[in-house]
Amino acid sequence: MVRHGESTWNVLGLVQGHADGAALTRQGRRQALLLAHQLGGRRFEAIYTSDLGRARETADFLAKFLRLPAQTHTALRERCLGELEGSPVGRLRPEDTGISGDQVVDIHARPAGGESLEKLYRRAGGFVDWFRHQPIGADALVVTHGGTIRMLRAYCAERPVDGLAWDTVPNGSLWRVRVPSRNAVDGPLPARAI
C-alpha cells in the first residue's frame, strides 16, 4: 500500500477527506518517483487506487512506470470529514474525529456530514473482501490515504478499531500487508512498514 504523495492541501494544513481540490506538489511528485524506483524490481499484477485526485495522480505516475493500468475503487477513499473538509487541520477535535493524541477513543464520533471510524473500517474491509475474490496470483499495489491505510492494516490483522493506535503514515510511504486468503487457516500476518 502507498499513501499518496504530498498534496497542496497537506502543505497548507487543510483537512482533505473526500474534498478533491488538492494536487500533488513538486515534493509529492518526487515521492512518487522515489516509490517507482523502489517498486521497479517487483512484479505486480494490478494497481488499485482511490478515485480522489491526489491518489489518482500518484497511482497514474506509478502505473506508467510499472506499465500497468491503475483501476479506481471508491472504497479506497479517505475518511469523509464532512463540513470540516477544507478547514485548518487544527480545527479537528476528538469529539469530531474519535481520535485523541495517537489513539482511537470513539469509533462512532463523526463531524456533521462526515463518516465515523467504524464506517471507514467497514468500507476498507469491504475492499479487502472484494480483493480476496480477484484472480490475482502476485502482489497488487494499492494507492490510498493515511486513514484508509490504518483501517486496511487493522482489518487484515483482525484488530478492532476501538483503542487502535493512530500512528503516523507519511506521504509517499510504502506499507506491506498480507491479505489472508478466503481459506486461510493461520490468519493474517500483522501489517508492518517496509
Side-chain angles (χ1 to χ4, degrees):
M1 295 184 299
V2 168
R3 182 178 177 199
H4 63 81
E6 179 187 78
S7 76
T8 52
W9 283 26
N10 289 136
V11 172
L12 293 171
L14 299 177
V15 176
Q16 294 179 100
H18 282 195
D20 210 11
L24 292 186
T25 62
R26 185 180 314 186
Q27 174 65 13
R29 290 188 296 277
R30 269 192 231 121
Q31 290 167 336
L33 178 62
L34 178 61
L35 284 165
H37 286 292
Q38 283 181 283
L39 298 171
R42 296 188 66 135
R43 182 173 167 261
F44 292 95
E45 283 195 26
I47 300 174
Y48 299 104
T49 183
S50 159
D51 64 333
L52 297 174
R54 57 201 186 267
R56 268 193 352 263
E57 194 176 347
T58 304
D60 288 345
F61 188 93
L62 296 171
K64 285 177 192 169
F65 198 89
L66 298 171
R67 296 185 181 122
L68 283 171
Q71 304 169 54
T72 59
H73 204 294
T74 58
L76 294 173
R77 283 182 165 206
E78 180 59 284
R79 178 184 182 187
C80 177
L81 290 166
E83 68 179 18
L84 294 176
E85 291 174 2
S87 64
V89 171
R91 264 192 72 197
L92 296 175
R93 302 171 310 163
E95 49 271 22
D96 293 322
T97 64
I99 301 160
S100 182
D102 61 355
Q103 187 170 10
V104 173
V105 294
D106 183 354
I107 63 172
H108 303 291
R110 65 179 187 82
E115 179 177 35
S116 69
L117 290 168
E118 178 187 39
K119 185 174 179 186
L120 176 59
Y121 183 81
R122 285 195 320 261
R123 178 162 52 85
F127 174 80
V128 171
D129 294 341
W130 171 85
F131 178 80
R132 285 182 195 168
H133 292 87
Q134 301 312 300
I136 295 175
D139 288 342
L141 186 62
V142 173
V143 182
T144 188
H145 310 269
T148 310
I149 286 173
R150 292 175 185 99
M151 292 299 130
L152 289 165
R153 288 180 1 215
Y155 190 85
C156 288
E158 299 178 339
R159 281 187 252 141
V161 180
D162 197 26
L164 186 71
W166 202 256
D167 59 341
T168 301
V169 178
N171 289 107
S173 60
L174 181 62
W175 299 81
R176 182 176 167 183
V177 171
R178 181 167 188 166
V179 175
S181 69
R182 292 178 300 221
N183 301 321
V185 177
D186 298 338
L189 296 176
R192 62 187 185 277
I194 291 179

